[in-house]
Amino acid sequence: MTYALKTADAKFLMTTPGSIEVAVAAAENTGIPRKHIFLLEGAVEGYTTFKQLQEIGRSYGESGQVAPYQIRPGRTNKELCGFLNFSSGTTGLPKAVMLSHHNVIAQCMQLKMITPPVGTRTAMGALPLFHITGLVKFMNCPIFFNDELVMLPQFNMELMLRTIVEYQISELTLVPPLVIRLVNDPIVANYDLSCVKRISCGAAPLSEQLTQLLQKKFPQSGFKQGYGMTESCSCITSHSPEYYDYKYANTVGNIVASTAIKIIDDQGKELGYNQPGEILAKGPQIAMGYLDNPTATAEAFDKDGFLHTGDIGYMTEDGLLRIVDRIKEMIKVKGIAVAPAELEDLLLGHPDVADCAVLGVKDDYAGERPKAYVVLRDGLKPSEEVGRQLMKYVKERKARFKWVEEIEFANAVPKSPSGKILRRILREQDRGGQNRGLVVKDDGQGKPAAKL
């Protein structure tokens, strides 16, 4: 929070009682006085609530009010930054993304066009509002759609399940870590979730194995995914109603309205259907750029208005987008690109694996080689034997250059609040020798060697 407040040069801070300690510490670090910290709900001694702030404003009388802000003549809300949202920071420090009111309004309209008209819905907000999904789906869309929103004060599995049942939530908006909990946590069986008619997932790719488990758990529901990022104000693609089905779960949907996508190779040449390359997107929802960071802005947003996503994917002939992986996260084994997501997807299908992350580590011979960080299911202990079994599992199913040649057992995979794997933290831990679990390596002769 300190980093975000400093970057945004914030002067005021609004929070809740549950976050007051973190908020006060960050405010002190950035010079925000206590009198500029306000509570959106509840009460804490010594702090002004939002309701009290309104009463203070009314006490100034009609003549003491500041005139409403007006956009200057000749300008539009497309040129006015309305929100600062921070990127996920999966490969470096988060950047402050400038989103205009135009961007958010456009995205709400785009999502409205692919949302079936079923009257007033009751939605559940289980994701943080500082994330782009929270800003769009939980703060703005319900107003635009005239829907009711039940917001969880903090994530708790039992609270989420009770809320679904009590309010008969028909559509769940989730990220992969919540899906993992939903399919694996035994307490889910204690709740009647037959009211769930559709599950929507985003923020990070959902593996085929998880999708299959989800379908088994919720056979009565439809399924949709969206693809986008903070820089695209949430969705570039999303499944429209005709694709609300688990059989399309290996794609992230079709292009939303008023948006153009092109796929290019590393030379900038535009590619055709089923040819993987970098995904570029242009539309009214694409952000203004990065706050006070012209270099990063020029790298991500080209002169033609296209956002360079940094993601590898391809378009099917049905007009559905498939994601392969992040460009910066591709592993180069003897010059051949290996997608971490492909190996993660495979490992998650093993009955002993609860979660995992794959990244490239330096190798004198191959340049890089895949290394997997594995979280075992409850009741299983890391061992050389388990590591050997997992490496054999990959060898039997993938080409030699894709073999995982090192496994490190971990208690958890570091992820952002939206569920994206924070590989930079794993790399830092690897370089510094921190928080190391049991490591099992393949000695190149099919005989893994283990060390602590």
Side-chain angles (χ1 to χ4, degrees), residues 33 75 91 101 106 146 181 187 246 248 252 256-257 297 363 395 417 426:
R75 301 192 70 185
T91 57
H101 294 279
N146 195 30
R181 291 289 303 274
I187 70 168
Y246 284 98
Y248 300 109
V252 290
V256 298
T297 297
D363 182 81
K395 286 181 179 180
L426 292 173

Side-chain angles (χ1 to χ4, degrees), residues 111-112 115-124 136-150 170-171 198:
L111 295 178
K112 178 78 169 177
T115 302
V118 293
T120 300
R121 285 170 289 261
T122 300
M124 179 185 68
V136 174
K137 291 276 287 186
F138 301 148
M139 286 183 65
N140 286 278
C141 276
I143 298 172
F144 186 67
F145 291 11
N146 195 30
D147 286 346
E148 179 182 49
L149 176 71
V150 181
S170 59
E171 179 173 349
R198 185 164 65 247

Side-chain angles (χ1 to χ4, degrees), residues 211-281:
T211 304
Q212 291 171 354
L213 290 172
L214 196 62
Q215 183 176 15
K216 186 177 180 181
K217 183 80 74 172
F218 296 93
Q220 81 283 1
S221 76
F223 179 82
K224 58 178 283 197
Q225 282 197 100
Y227 164 71
M229 55 205 66
T230 308
E231 290 86 344
S232 65
C233 196
S234 195
C235 291
I236 294 169
T237 65
S238 183
H239 287 112
S240 49
E242 62 266 34
Y243 298 114
Y244 286 175
D245 195 292
Y246 284 98
K247 67 182 179 182
Y248 300 109
N250 60 352
T251 73
V252 290
N254 43 314
I255 306 171
V256 298
S258 303
T259 301
I261 281 181
K262 60 181 179 180
I263 312 292
I264 62 170
D265 63 16
D266 53 9
Q267 302 299 315
K269 178 186 175 183
E270 195 165 342
L271 301 173
Y273 290 118
N274 303 311
Q275 294 181 297
E278 184 182 8
I279 302 165
L280 275 60

Side-chain angles (χ1 to χ4, degrees), residues 273-313:
Y273 290 118
N274 303 311
Q275 294 181 297
E278 184 182 8
I279 302 165
L280 275 60
K282 180 179 182 179
Q285 75 275 41
I286 302 301
M288 301 168 67
Y290 301 114
L291 178 68
D292 297 330
N293 197 337
T295 301
T297 297
E299 289 174 353
F301 304 87
D302 67 27
K303 58 182 177 59
D304 296 320
F306 277 92
L307 165 67
H308 291 242
T309 67
D311 290 325
I312 298 290

Side-chain angles (χ1 to χ4, degrees), residues 66-258:
V66 175
Y69 178 83
Q70 297 288 329
I71 298 175
R72 293 197 299 270
R75 301 192 70 185
T76 68
N77 65 6
K78 188 176 183 179
E79 303 163 283
L80 179 67
C81 180
F83 307 90
L84 278 179
N85 274 62
F86 285 77
S87 61
S88 298
T90 54
T91 57
L93 284 173
K95 295 183 283 290
V97 180
M98 297 188 294
L99 297 170
S100 68
H101 294 279
H102 175 98
N103 295 147
V104 175
I105 293 169
Q107 178 70 172
C108 288
M109 295 177 72
Q110 289 166 326
L111 295 178
K112 178 78 169 177
M113 292 180 68
I114 55 174
T115 302
V118 293
T120 300
R121 285 170 289 261
T122 300
M124 179 185 68
L127 303 176
L129 296 180
F130 60 76
H131 184 260
I132 188 61
T133 300
L135 171 67
V136 174
K137 291 276 287 186
F138 301 148
M139 286 183 65
N140 286 278
C141 276
I143 298 172
F144 186 67
F145 291 11
N146 195 30
D147 286 346
E148 179 182 49
L149 176 71
V150 181
M151 196 74 210
L152 301 187
Q154 68 279 323
F155 177 74
N156 174 287
M157 194 65 184
E158 290 191 41
L159 175 60
M160 184 181 83
L161 294 170
R162 288 202 310 269
T163 301
I164 294 171
V165 174
E166 180 180 350
Y167 292 94
Q168 291 293 285
I169 305 297
S170 59
E171 179 173 349
L172 303 182
T173 300
L174 306 172
V175 291
L178 294 188
V179 173
I180 291 172
R181 291 289 303 274
L182 206 56
V183 299
N184 290 327
D185 199 318
I187 70 168
V188 175
N190 300 331
Y191 296 84
D192 178 7
L193 304 181
S194 58
C195 59
V196 176
K197 303 304 180 187
R198 185 164 65 247
I199 294 175
S200 176
C201 194
L206 195 63
S207 74
E208 183 179 349
Q209 281 71 24
L210 276 178
T211 304
Q212 291 171 354
L213 290 172
L214 196 62
Q215 183 176 15
K216 186 177 180 181
K217 183 80 74 172
F218 296 93
Q220 81 283 1
S221 76
F223 179 82
K224 58 178 283 197
Q225 282 197 100
Y227 164 71
M229 55 205 66
T230 308
E231 290 86 344
S232 65
C233 196
S234 195
C235 291
I236 294 169
T237 65
S238 183
H239 287 112
S240 49
E242 62 266 34
Y243 298 114
Y244 286 175
D245 195 292
Y246 284 98
K247 67 182 179 182
Y248 300 109
N250 60 352
T251 73
V252 290
N254 43 314
I255 306 171
V256 298
S258 303

